[in-house]
mmCIF file with all atom_site columns, all heavy atoms in Angstrom:
data_model
loop_
_atom_site.group_PDB
_atom_site.id
_atom_site.type_symbol
_atom_site.label_atom_id
_atom_site.label_alt_id
_atom_site.label_comp_id
_atom_site.label_asym_id
_atom_site.label_entity_id
_atom_site.label_seq_id
_atom_site.pdbx_PDB_ins_code
_atom_site.Cartn_x
_atom_site.Cartn_y
_atom_site.Cartn_z
_atom_site.occupancy
_atom_site.B_iso_or_equiv
_atom_site.pdbx_formal_charge
_atom_site.auth_seq_id
_atom_site.auth_comp_id
_atom_site.auth_asym_id
_atom_site.auth_atom_id
_atom_site.pdbx_PDB_model_num
ATOM 1   N N   . LEU B 1 303 ? -16.040 -20.894 -4.629  1.00 93.00 ? 485 LEU B N   1
ATOM 2   C CA  . LEU B 1 303 ? -15.693 -19.617 -5.258  1.00 93.00 ? 485 LEU B CA  1
ATOM 3   C C   . LEU B 1 303 ? -14.258 -19.596 -5.737  1.00 93.00 ? 485 LEU B C   1
ATOM 4   O O   . LEU B 1 303 ? -13.402 -20.280 -5.183  1.00 93.00 ? 485 LEU B O   1
ATOM 5   C CB  . LEU B 1 303 ? -15.792 -18.488 -4.187  1.00 93.00 ? 485 LEU B CB  1
ATOM 6   C CG  . LEU B 1 303 ? -17.089 -18.336 -3.432  1.00 93.00 ? 485 LEU B CG  1
ATOM 7   C CD1 . LEU B 1 303 ? -16.904 -17.442 -2.203  1.00 93.00 ? 485 LEU B CD1 1
ATOM 8   C CD2 . LEU B 1 303 ? -18.157 -17.779 -4.333  1.00 93.00 ? 485 LEU B CD2 1
ATOM 9   N N   . LEU B 1 304 ? -14.033 -18.784 -6.778  1.00 96.00 ? 486 LEU B N   1
ATOM 10  C CA  . LEU B 1 304 ? -12.677 -18.515 -7.186  1.00 96.00 ? 486 LEU B CA  1
ATOM 11  C C   . LEU B 1 304 ? -12.276 -17.177 -6.504  1.00 96.00 ? 486 LEU B C   1
ATOM 12  O O   . LEU B 1 304 ? -12.756 -16.120 -6.946  1.00 96.00 ? 486 LEU B O   1
ATOM 13  C CB  . LEU B 1 304 ? -12.524 -18.428 -8.654  1.00 96.00 ? 486 LEU B CB  1
ATOM 14  C CG  . LEU B 1 304 ? -11.109 -18.120 -9.163  1.00 96.00 ? 486 LEU B CG  1
ATOM 15  C CD1 . LEU B 1 304 ? -10.158 -19.269 -8.815  1.00 96.00 ? 486 LEU B CD1 1
ATOM 16  C CD2 . LEU B 1 304 ? -11.089 -17.905 -10.644 1.00 96.00 ? 486 LEU B CD2 1
ATOM 17  N N   . ARG B 1 305 ? -11.443 -17.256 -5.494  1.00 95.00 ? 487 ARG B N   1
ATOM 18  C CA  . ARG B 1 305 ? -11.122 -16.014 -4.726  1.00 95.00 ? 487 ARG B CA  1
ATOM 19  C C   . ARG B 1 305 ? -9.871  -15.356 -5.265  1.00 95.00 ? 487 ARG B C   1
ATOM 20  O O   . ARG B 1 305 ? -8.956  -16.042 -5.695  1.00 95.00 ? 487 ARG B O   1
ATOM 21  C CB  . ARG B 1 305 ? -10.959 -16.365 -3.240  1.00 95.00 ? 487 ARG B CB  1
ATOM 22  C CG  . ARG B 1 305 ? -12.305 -16.584 -2.550  1.00 95.00 ? 487 ARG B CG  1
ATOM 23  C CD  . ARG B 1 305 ? -12.115 -17.046 -1.157  1.00 95.00 ? 487 ARG B CD  1
ATOM 24  N NE  . ARG B 1 305 ? -11.580 -18.398 -1.100  1.00 95.00 ? 487 ARG B NE  1
ATOM 25  C CZ  . ARG B 1 305 ? -11.192 -18.996 -0.002  1.00 95.00 ? 487 ARG B CZ  1
ATOM 26  N NH1 . ARG B 1 305 ? -11.197 -18.350 1.157   1.00 95.00 ? 487 ARG B NH1 1
ATOM 27  N NH2 . ARG B 1 305 ? -10.776 -20.276 -0.038  1.00 95.00 ? 487 ARG B NH2 1
ATOM 28  N N   . ARG B 1 306 ? -9.853  -14.061 -5.204  1.00 96.00 ? 488 ARG B N   1
ATOM 29  C CA  . ARG B 1 306 ? -8.727  -13.279 -5.705  1.00 96.00 ? 488 ARG B CA  1
ATOM 30  C C   . ARG B 1 306 ? -8.633  -11.968 -4.938  1.00 96.00 ? 488 ARG B C   1
ATOM 31  O O   . ARG B 1 306 ? -8.748  -10.863 -5.455  1.00 96.00 ? 488 ARG B O   1
ATOM 32  C CB  . ARG B 1 306 ? -8.952  -12.998 -7.198  1.00 96.00 ? 488 ARG B CB  1
ATOM 33  C CG  . ARG B 1 306 ? -7.709  -13.298 -8.053  1.00 96.00 ? 488 ARG B CG  1
ATOM 34  C CD  . ARG B 1 306 ? -7.992  -13.181 -9.507  1.00 96.00 ? 488 ARG B CD  1
ATOM 35  N NE  . ARG B 1 306 ? -6.764  -13.322 -10.280 1.00 96.00 ? 488 ARG B NE  1
ATOM 36  C CZ  . ARG B 1 306 ? -5.790  -12.402 -10.341 1.00 96.00 ? 488 ARG B CZ  1
ATOM 37  N NH1 . ARG B 1 306 ? -5.889  -11.307 -9.681  1.00 96.00 ? 488 ARG B NH1 1
ATOM 38  N NH2 . ARG B 1 306 ? -4.684  -12.650 -11.022 1.00 96.00 ? 488 ARG B NH2 1
ATOM 39  N N   . SER B 1 307 ? -8.517  -12.123 -3.634  1.00 96.00 ? 489 SER B N   1
ATOM 40  C CA  . SER B 1 307 ? -8.608  -10.959 -2.730  1.00 96.00 ? 489 SER B CA  1
ATOM 41  C C   . SER B 1 307 ? -7.247  -10.326 -2.473  1.00 96.00 ? 489 SER B C   1
ATOM 42  O O   . SER B 1 307 ? -6.212  -10.960 -2.672  1.00 96.00 ? 489 SER B O   1
ATOM 43  C CB  . SER B 1 307 ? -9.200  -11.411 -1.403  1.00 96.00 ? 489 SER B CB  1
ATOM 44  O OG  . SER B 1 307 ? -10.439 -12.108 -1.612  1.00 96.00 ? 489 SER B OG  1
ATOM 45  N N   . TYR B 1 308 ? -7.283  -9.108  -1.985  1.00 97.00 ? 490 TYR B N   1
ATOM 46  C CA  . TYR B 1 308 ? -6.056  -8.386  -1.621  1.00 97.00 ? 490 TYR B CA  1
ATOM 47  C C   . TYR B 1 308 ? -6.199  -7.768  -0.241  1.00 97.00 ? 490 TYR B C   1
ATOM 48  O O   . TYR B 1 308 ? -7.245  -7.241  0.097   1.00 97.00 ? 490 TYR B O   1
ATOM 49  C CB  . TYR B 1 308 ? -5.732  -7.300  -2.663  1.00 97.00 ? 490 TYR B CB  1
ATOM 50  C CG  . TYR B 1 308 ? -5.185  -7.928  -3.944  1.00 97.00 ? 490 TYR B CG  1
ATOM 51  C CD1 . TYR B 1 308 ? -5.983  -8.232  -5.024  1.00 97.00 ? 490 TYR B CD1 1
ATOM 52  C CD2 . TYR B 1 308 ? -3.792  -8.187  -4.022  1.00 97.00 ? 490 TYR B CD2 1
ATOM 53  C CE1 . TYR B 1 308 ? -5.463  -8.781  -6.170  1.00 97.00 ? 490 TYR B CE1 1
ATOM 54  C CE2 . TYR B 1 308 ? -3.257  -8.708  -5.167  1.00 97.00 ? 490 TYR B CE2 1
ATOM 55  C CZ  . TYR B 1 308 ? -4.085  -9.037  -6.273  1.00 97.00 ? 490 TYR B CZ  1
ATOM 56  O OH  . TYR B 1 308 ? -3.546  -9.637  -7.405  1.00 97.00 ? 490 TYR B OH  1
ATOM 57  N N   . ASN B 1 309 ? -5.118  -7.846  0.571   1.00 96.00 ? 491 ASN B N   1
ATOM 58  C CA  . ASN B 1 309 ? -5.040  -7.194  1.867   1.00 96.00 ? 491 ASN B CA  1
ATOM 59  C C   . ASN B 1 309 ? -4.927  -5.688  1.696   1.00 96.00 ? 491 ASN B C   1
ATOM 60  O O   . ASN B 1 309 ? -4.145  -5.236  0.836   1.00 96.00 ? 491 ASN B O   1
ATOM 61  C CB  . ASN B 1 309 ? -3.885  -7.690  2.679   1.00 96.00 ? 491 ASN B CB  1
ATOM 62  C CG  . ASN B 1 309 ? -3.961  -9.199  2.863   1.00 96.00 ? 491 ASN B CG  1
ATOM 63  O OD1 . ASN B 1 309 ? -4.928  -9.706  3.488   1.00 96.00 ? 491 ASN B OD1 1
ATOM 64  N ND2 . ASN B 1 309 ? -3.040  -9.941  2.345   1.00 96.00 ? 491 ASN B ND2 1
ATOM 65  N N   . VAL B 1 310 ? -5.616  -4.967  2.491   1.00 96.00 ? 492 VAL B N   1
ATOM 66  C CA  . VAL B 1 310 ? -5.610  -3.499  2.378   1.00 96.00 ? 492 VAL B CA  1
ATOM 67  C C   . VAL B 1 310 ? -5.191  -2.841  3.692   1.00 96.00 ? 492 VAL B C   1
ATOM 68  O O   . VAL B 1 310 ? -5.664  -3.258  4.784   1.00 96.00 ? 492 VAL B O   1
ATOM 69  C CB  . VAL B 1 310 ? -7.034  -3.005  1.999   1.00 96.00 ? 492 VAL B CB  1
ATOM 70  C CG1 . VAL B 1 310 ? -7.105  -1.435  2.033   1.00 96.00 ? 492 VAL B CG1 1
ATOM 71  C CG2 . VAL B 1 310 ? -7.462  -3.520  0.672   1.00 96.00 ? 492 VAL B CG2 1
ATOM 72  N N   . ASP B 1 311 ? -4.323  -1.866  3.609   1.00 94.00 ? 493 ASP B N   1
ATOM 73  C CA  . ASP B 1 311 ? -3.871  -1.105  4.780   1.00 94.00 ? 493 ASP B CA  1
ATOM 74  C C   . ASP B 1 311 ? -4.017  0.373   4.444   1.00 94.00 ? 493 ASP B C   1
ATOM 75  O O   . ASP B 1 311 ? -3.251  0.887   3.654   1.00 94.00 ? 493 ASP B O   1
ATOM 76  C CB  . ASP B 1 311 ? -2.396  -1.473  5.115   1.00 94.00 ? 493 ASP B CB  1
ATOM 77  C CG  . ASP B 1 311 ? -1.864  -0.664  6.265   1.00 94.00 ? 493 ASP B CG  1
ATOM 78  O OD1 . ASP B 1 311 ? -2.588  0.222   6.804   1.00 94.00 ? 493 ASP B OD1 1
ATOM 79  O OD2 . ASP B 1 311 ? -0.709  -0.932  6.635   1.00 94.00 ? 493 ASP B OD2 1
ATOM 80  N N   . ARG B 1 312 ? -4.998  1.010   5.052   1.00 92.00 ? 494 ARG B N   1
ATOM 81  C CA  . ARG B 1 312 ? -5.263  2.407   4.772   1.00 92.00 ? 494 ARG B CA  1
ATOM 82  C C   . ARG B 1 312 ? -4.716  3.342   5.861   1.00 92.00 ? 494 ARG B C   1
ATOM 83  O O   . ARG B 1 312 ? -5.176  4.463   5.947   1.00 92.00 ? 494 ARG B O   1
ATOM 84  C CB  . ARG B 1 312 ? -6.687  2.670   4.554   1.00 92.00 ? 494 ARG B CB  1
ATOM 85  C CG  . ARG B 1 312 ? -7.367  1.860   3.412   1.00 92.00 ? 494 ARG B CG  1
ATOM 86  C CD  . ARG B 1 312 ? -8.757  2.446   3.209   1.00 92.00 ? 494 ARG B CD  1
ATOM 87  N NE  . ARG B 1 312 ? -9.647  1.572   2.519   1.00 92.00 ? 494 ARG B NE  1
ATOM 88  C CZ  . ARG B 1 312 ? -10.302 1.836   1.402   1.00 92.00 ? 494 ARG B CZ  1
ATOM 89  N NH1 . ARG B 1 312 ? -10.188 3.035   0.861   1.00 92.00 ? 494 ARG B NH1 1
ATOM 90  N NH2 . ARG B 1 312 ? -11.104 0.971   0.847   1.00 92.00 ? 494 ARG B NH2 1
ATOM 91  N N   . GLY B 1 313 ? -3.929  2.842   6.775   1.00 93.00 ? 495 GLY B N   1
ATOM 92  C CA  . GLY B 1 313 ? -3.421  3.725   7.825   1.00 93.00 ? 495 GLY B CA  1
ATOM 93  C C   . GLY B 1 313 ? -4.367  3.728   9.014   1.00 93.00 ? 495 GLY B C   1
ATOM 94  O O   . GLY B 1 313 ? -4.764  2.645   9.491   1.00 93.00 ? 495 GLY B O   1
ATOM 95  N N   . LEU B 1 314 ? -4.779  4.884   9.451   1.00 94.00 ? 496 LEU B N   1
ATOM 96  C CA  . LEU B 1 314 ? -5.646  4.995   10.625  1.00 94.00 ? 496 LEU B CA  1
ATOM 97  C C   . LEU B 1 314 ? -7.033  5.481   10.206  1.00 94.00 ? 496 LEU B C   1
ATOM 98  O O   . LEU B 1 314 ? -7.149  6.310   9.286   1.00 94.00 ? 496 LEU B O   1
ATOM 99  C CB  . LEU B 1 314 ? -5.043  6.013   11.625  1.00 94.00 ? 496 LEU B CB  1
ATOM 100 C CG  . LEU B 1 314 ? -3.746  5.671   12.297  1.00 94.00 ? 496 LEU B CG  1
ATOM 101 C CD1 . LEU B 1 314 ? -3.438  6.735   13.358  1.00 94.00 ? 496 LEU B CD1 1
ATOM 102 C CD2 . LEU B 1 314 ? -3.753  4.303   12.990  1.00 94.00 ? 496 LEU B CD2 1
ATOM 103 N N   . ALA B 1 315 ? -8.023  4.974   10.840  1.00 92.00 ? 497 ALA B N   1
ATOM 104 C CA  . ALA B 1 315 ? -9.395  5.531   10.721  1.00 92.00 ? 497 ALA B CA  1
ATOM 105 C C   . ALA B 1 315 ? -9.477  6.807   11.513  1.00 92.00 ? 497 ALA B C   1
ATOM 106 O O   . ALA B 1 315 ? -8.618  7.101   12.317  1.00 92.00 ? 497 ALA B O   1
ATOM 107 C CB  . ALA B 1 315 ? -10.392 4.466   11.217  1.00 92.00 ? 497 ALA B CB  1
ATOM 108 N N   . PRO B 1 316 ? -10.540 7.588   11.242  1.00 89.00 ? 498 PRO B N   1
ATOM 109 C CA  . PRO B 1 316 ? -10.678 8.877   11.984  1.00 89.00 ? 498 PRO B CA  1
ATOM 110 C C   . PRO B 1 316 ? -10.637 8.694   13.478  1.00 89.00 ? 498 PRO B C   1
ATOM 111 O O   . PRO B 1 316 ? -10.217 9.599   14.210  1.00 89.00 ? 498 PRO B O   1
ATOM 112 C CB  . PRO B 1 316 ? -12.018 9.425   11.493  1.00 89.00 ? 498 PRO B CB  1
ATOM 113 C CG  . PRO B 1 316 ? -12.189 8.811   10.120  1.00 89.00 ? 498 PRO B CG  1
ATOM 114 C CD  . PRO B 1 316 ? -11.587 7.432   10.178  1.00 89.00 ? 498 PRO B CD  1
#
Side-chain angles (χ1 to χ4, degrees):
Chain B
L485 305 165
L486 179 66
R487 284 174 288 172
R488 227 174 174 288
S489 306
Y490 284 93
N491 301 298
V492 174
D493 177 358
R494 300 191 201 233
L496 296 183

